[in-house]
Amino acid sequence: MGAGGAWLVALALTSCGPNVPKGSQDTNVQGDGDGEPGDGDGDPGDGDLGDGDGDGHEPPCESMHEGMVCIPAGPFIMGSNGLGLLKEREIPEQVVYLSQFHIDRHEVTFGEYRLCVEAGNCSPPVAEDPNDIRTSGCRWGTEGIDAYPVACVDWLQALEYCNARGAELPTEAQWEKAGRGTDGRHYAWGNEGPTCFYASMANETIGDQDPYEGWGCDTGMPQRPGSHSPQGDSPYGVQDMVGNVSEVVADWLGPGQLNLGTDPSGPESGPFKVRKGGSYIATQLYDSNGGYLHLAWRGQGGGPHPGAHLGASTGFRCAMFE
């Protein structure tokens, strides 16, 4: 067996599976702990596309791809009618139809990415350099980091990794449906505002303390994927779509546009890729004014020139279209 084949076998044994630990010692979540997805969703609308559980009028499907969740074909509500910051990128709210696809249950981890590097199929992420502030928080090579979401790669490296698995980066529409389901909810769990019960984010007292201490629910860094599961999962069971690390997707960033139609893939080119989902440094304070954690948010990622890494608060997950 060649190096690439050995890596794929190893990846299948370690990646994206349903047995990822649901919590860790560095979590600081509060709540009733019953963990029923959507039980605190604030009664998202009773729209025609679904009942709030993600299935709606869609036939259920199961993924045959290890560690992936199947998202059934059908329409969903994408975008928003303006939630505040950068709202011009999100509008208008509209119905978009997607074909069936599969998406990673959790964000790609350093350990999974390391296997790809060791197999010679991926290039290493940026490591922290004490002489370069732009690398602050980049943890490649740090002991004990394998279980945490990979960061400090550029979008081409993210695509390279997914391609090595026979996958792609998800389109923005695919990513957003996997997080929101069909009923137009703002967050993976519903419309209730984000807290550390649901997501890895900055706590609400961040203005009164050292910001680094408040990040990641007082851990100062991202948390292990699945640390806020199942209560923070999407209607389909996809983890960490809100907070932890924001995620780069396949689409180039452009203005919001009408009539996206079926299986949209965004503009043909641009200076930045779309970044979704907010991160561990985002707060509810900002999101209450239309900030970064709601799932219609569209940030910019990828840098204005090739090779610009996405930073310590941005990672990715992969998707398959068949």
Side-chain angles (χ1 to χ4, degrees):
M1 179 182 294
W7 170 72
L8 288 173
V9 170
L11 184 61
L13 294 174
T14 61
S15 70
C16 298
N19 298 321
V20 175
K22 294 294 178 104
S24 67
Q25 293 180 349
D26 59 6
T27 56
N28 180 27
V29 297
Q30 299 178 355
D32 59 13
D34 61 3
E36 293 297 323
D39 65 5
D41 61 10
D43 295 326
D46 58 0
D48 295 332
L49 302 181
D51 59 7
D53 295 324
D55 49 13
H57 304 302
E58 305 163 319
C61 62
E62 294 186 11
S63 182
M64 297 295 103
H65 303 291
E66 178 70 21
M68 285 188 157
V69 175
C70 182
I71 311 298
F76 82 108
I77 298 173
M78 183 174 178
S80 79
N81 287 325
L83 294 179
L85 295 172
L86 305 179
K87 64 183 179 182
E88 67 278 2
R89 293 180 182 172
E90 300 172 12
I91 57 176
E93 183 179 273
Q94 61 188 292
V95 175
V96 172
Y97 186 94
L98 293 182
S99 303
Q100 179 177 295
F101 66 98
H102 311 264
I103 194 166
D104 284 346
R105 186 177 301 277
H106 70 74
E107 297 153 335
V108 174
T109 65
F110 275 105
E112 291 162 348
Y113 194 91
R114 177 176 55 79
L115 292 175
C116 187
V117 173
E118 291 174 351
N121 296 318
C122 294
S123 53
V126 171
E128 188 160 8
D129 180 349
N131 298 313
D132 187 348
I133 193 172
R134 294 172 298 178
T135 67
S136 177
C138 294
R139 297 180 174 88
W140 175 250
T142 301
E143 185 176 354
I145 204 67
D146 275 5
Y148 292 83
V150 70
C152 296
V153 295
D154 62 41
W155 70 266
L156 286 171
Q157 288 176 302
L159 178 61
E160 184 178 61
Y161 170 88
C162 292
N163 287 172
R165 283 177 44 191
E168 302 283 344
L169 287 172
T171 67
E172 181 182 8
Q174 289 171 335
W175 189 99
E176 195 166 321
K177 182 177 181 180
R180 297 180 76 177
T182 60
D183 62 358
R185 60 183 60 195
H186 295 327
Y187 309 102
W189 53 88
N191 287 333
E192 182 179 335
T195 68
C196 279
F197 177 59
Y198 292 117
S200 177
M201 53 182 283
N203 68 34
E204 295 182 56
T205 62
I206 194 168
D208 301 324
Q209 63 184 51
D210 183 339
Y212 297 99
E213 294 178 3
W215 290 352
C217 298
D218 294 320
T219 68
M221 60 183 288
Q223 296 175 280
R224 292 181 177 91
S227 292
H228 299 269
S229 179
Q231 70 271 17
D233 293 353
S234 83
Y236 301 105
V238 185
Q239 300 172 347
D240 298 306
M241 298 297 278
V242 177
N244 217 31
V245 289
S246 59
E247 300 175 26
V248 67
V249 297
D251 297 32
W252 292 105
L253 178 64
Q257 55 183 326
L258 287 166
N259 302 321
L260 290 176
T262 299
D263 295 325
S265 57
E268 294 184 0
S269 62
F272 297 101
K273 291 290 184 175
V274 175
R275 189 162 52 96
K276 301 286 284 184
S279 75
Y280 69 100
I281 66 175
T283 72
Q284 183 176 5
L285 173 64
Y286 290 118
D287 211 61
S288 65
N289 296 310
Y292 312 111
L293 291 166
H294 63 277
L295 294 176
W297 174 73
R298 310 177 73 223
Q300 63 185 35
H305 54 275
H309 75 82
L310 297 168
S313 63
T314 302
F316 66 97
R317 70 182 76 214
C318 304
M320 290 186 177
F321 307 155
E322 297 181 356

